[in-house]
Amino acid sequence: MINLLELDAVGLEALLAGLGEKPFRARQVSHWIHQRFAGDVAAMTDLSKALRERLAGAAEIRGPVVISDATAEDGTRKWLLDVGAGNAIEAVFIPEDDRGTLCISSQAGCALDCAFCSTGKQGFNRNLTTAEIVGQLWHANRALLADGVSAPRRPKRELRPLGGCAGRPTAPWIEQGRPPITNVVMMGMGEPLANYESVRAALSVFLDDNAYGLSRRRVTLSTSGIVPAIDRLRDDCPVALAVSLHAPDDALRDRLVPINRKYPIATLLDACVRYLERAPRNFVTFEYVMLDGVNDSPDQARALAARVRDVPCKVNLIPWNPFPGAGFRTSPRARILAFQQTLADTGLVATIRKTRGDNIDAACGQLVGRVRDRTKRTLRIHAARTAPATH
Ligand code: SAH
Ligand code: SF4
């Protein structure tokens, strides 16, 4: 059975063509799945009964299996999703006044082993499929809408009507409210550019006007710096780009972000400049996790500013989120502020990331910190509950 969440527009057209149907049928099916969040082919009532039956014989909508669903005091909501073999990933919804952001995972685990990252410390399990990536957005919108949460009431001026260009009639999901997720960041578990094909297909569904219709500026991909894949993304599907820099020099970055040994800072910055030729925003965001006594001195701030001087950019300083056994400490607030000020003095725009969802471990880098344990515990509990009685 094909999972319809696996298919982008081209895939859906091919599937419908195989059933002898015209391309517009694929668009209809896409509306049902990604705009009305149908969970079943039978719900697609503007397709003939005969087509629904044929389609249901070949395909289904298989959403993620939710292990847990928690909402923090600040409204941040986190779903822990089962990806089989005792592994889980997380999707995190971050509501703000003018937007609703979903932080999406791209892999179960990660092979790149950055020194300060709990996902990296767990090792690599597997790439997520397109259906598992798209399924996070599908599920989050669907679950939030079911709870009466729609898009923010006070969108910024740049927010165009979802699903189309200005002036188009509002899409048919209006009866359920506007999908609450207006922005996607690929900043969850895993390195998205190490799962290129599935991520590219998922991005095309996020951007497709017949699916989620998000503008390129509202979809951000974060990478630790896989240079050839940055070039591919630029050609295939340029969305907003965030690059995890974390150090002003190669010696330190080699230690913190081991992929740097393959693609050092100069090579990475060149790729950023090339990316900007096609990017929807005219700057790259450099992420810089603040590690006490490691990368947070005023000299390092000045070195960072000098290093990125030729790349139009903003710097996002991320207070490091601790996890057991990591061997780092978060920089004190005063040091983060001083680092920001030093960057600002050189003319760089630097922001400090607000930590969200603290009380449910949804903060950046903690996404899966305790998932494996918790998953095992959850599965054990489940097994205990469902185990047949033994004599
Ligand atoms: N693999 C991609 C995207 C996922 S990580 C990447 O590395 O960019 C998203 C961001 O969270 C990255 O900037 C990453 O360096 C950062 N991060 C990882 N662990 C963290 C932690 N414990 N505290 C704060 N940020 C962390
Ligand atoms: Fe992987 Fe990103 Fe974590 Fe590095 S920071 S180990 S690339 S998820």
Side-chain angles (χ1 to χ4, degrees):
M1 263 309 197
I2 294 167
N3 186 356
L4 291 170
L5 294 173
E6 182 70 24
L7 304 179
D8 61 7
V10 177
L12 263 185
E13 270 191 31
L15 176 71
L16 271 297
L19 298 173
E21 297 291 333
K22 298 231 164 64
F24 82 92
R25 292 285 178 213
R27 293 196 287 276
Q28 263 177 303
V29 171
S30 183
H31 293 160
W32 277 109
I33 303 168
H34 302 295
Q35 297 182 354
R36 291 171 155 182
F37 308 105
D40 196 333
V41 172
M44 303 180 181
T45 46
D46 56 3
L47 304 183
S48 71
K49 193 149 178 285
L51 175 55
R52 268 181 276 158
E53 278 168 10
R54 271 184 295 134
L55 189 57
E60 62 184 350
I61 302 165
R62 222 164 35 244
V65 175
V66 179
I67 297 173
S68 72
D69 174 349
T71 305
E73 281 151 19
D74 65 4
T76 301
R77 183 165 172 184
K78 181 185 71 173
W79 294 272
L80 180 60
L81 306 173
D82 185 20
V83 289
N87 289 292
I89 51 135
E90 292 186 339
V92 181
F93 171 62
I94 305 149
E96 288 173 277
D97 286 350
D98 61 347
R99 72 185 71 181
T101 302
L102 189 70
C103 179
I104 287 185
S105 297
S106 56
Q107 299 181 307
C110 182
L112 298 187
D113 199 22
C114 298
F116 52 83
C117 172
S118 60
T119 306
K121 292 296 142 217
Q122 291 169 35
F124 177 64
N125 184 250
R126 70 168 173 84
N127 281 330
L128 299 188
T129 62
T130 301
E132 288 168 331
I133 300 170
V134 171
Q136 295 170 61
L137 181 55
W138 178 83
H139 174 77
N141 267 320
R142 194 169 194 252
L144 289 162
L145 281 170
D147 289 350
V149 182
S150 333
R153 276 171 203 279
R154 295 187 289 113
K156 274 197 178 144
R157 203 165 47 83
E158 65 169 281
L159 179 63
R160 64 183 180 152
L162 281 162
C165 312
R168 252 208 221 165
T170 327
W173 63 83
I174 191 73
E175 67 266 14
Q176 324 172 45
R178 288 178 7 133
I181 299 185
T182 60
N183 293 55
V184 165
V185 293
M186 304 232 42
M187 292 185 185
M189 192 177 186
E191 167 51 53
L193 293 185
N195 181 16
Y196 188 85
E197 278 310 326
S198 299
V199 166
R200 191 208 48 76
L203 290 176
S204 85
V205 177
F206 299 164
L207 302 178
D208 181 358
D209 276 351
N210 293 303
Y212 296 91
L214 300 177
S215 84
R216 288 177 190 280
R217 301 158 59 83
R218 290 181 170 270
V219 177
T220 301
L221 182 143
S222 172
T223 178
S224 56
I226 303 183
V227 165
I230 294 176
D231 285 330
R232 274 183 85 184
L233 188 70
R234 160 192 184 269
D235 295 336
D236 290 351
C237 190
V239 292
L241 187 68
V243 172
S244 294
L245 202 52
H246 306 316
D249 60 80
D250 284 319
L252 180 57
R253 194 163 190 270
D254 280 352
R255 270 208 292 134
L256 298 178
V257 186
I259 192 76
N260 193 67
R261 295 172 203 157
K262 195 160 182 194
Y263 306 113
I265 295 176
T267 314
L268 177 57
L269 297 182
D270 285 348
C272 291
V273 171
R274 288 194 296 278
Y275 193 87
L276 285 172
E277 292 163 11
R278 301 262 180 91
R281 292 187 182 271
N282 55 6
F283 62 90
V284 166
T285 302
F286 289 123
E287 293 158 290
Y288 196 98
V289 71
M290 298 299 292
L291 301 166
D292 185 22
V294 175
N295 65 354
D296 64 348
S297 74
D299 279 350
Q300 284 165 317
R302 280 185 285 272
L304 174 66
R307 199 68 209 253
V308 300
R309 202 184 41 212
D310 297 330
V311 186
C313 66
K314 291 185 182 169
V315 177
N316 192 211
L317 303 174
I318 312 174
W320 180 69
N321 290 308
F323 58 92
F328 292 104
R329 288 181 312 270
T330 310
S331 303
R333 188 77 189 166
R335 213 157 159 88
I336 300 179
L337 290 169
F339 198 92
Q340 181 188 33
Q341 188 58 52
T342 308
L343 294 178
D345 291 344
T346 71
L348 261 184
V349 176
T351 49
I352 300 174
R353 185 174 297 172
K354 214 168 113 197
T355 296
R356 299 285 306 256
D358 257 352
N359 65 324
I360 54 164
D361 288 345
C364 181
Q366 290 183 316
L367 287 181
V368 265
R370 281 155 229 168
V371 169
R372 287 188 76 90
D373 282 356
R374 217 184 289 141
T375 308
K376 282 185 192 137
R377 199 176 65 219
T378 311
L379 293 178
R380 269 203 308 275
I381 293 166
H382 184 69
R385 280 204 195 115
T386 55
T390 46
H391 299 283

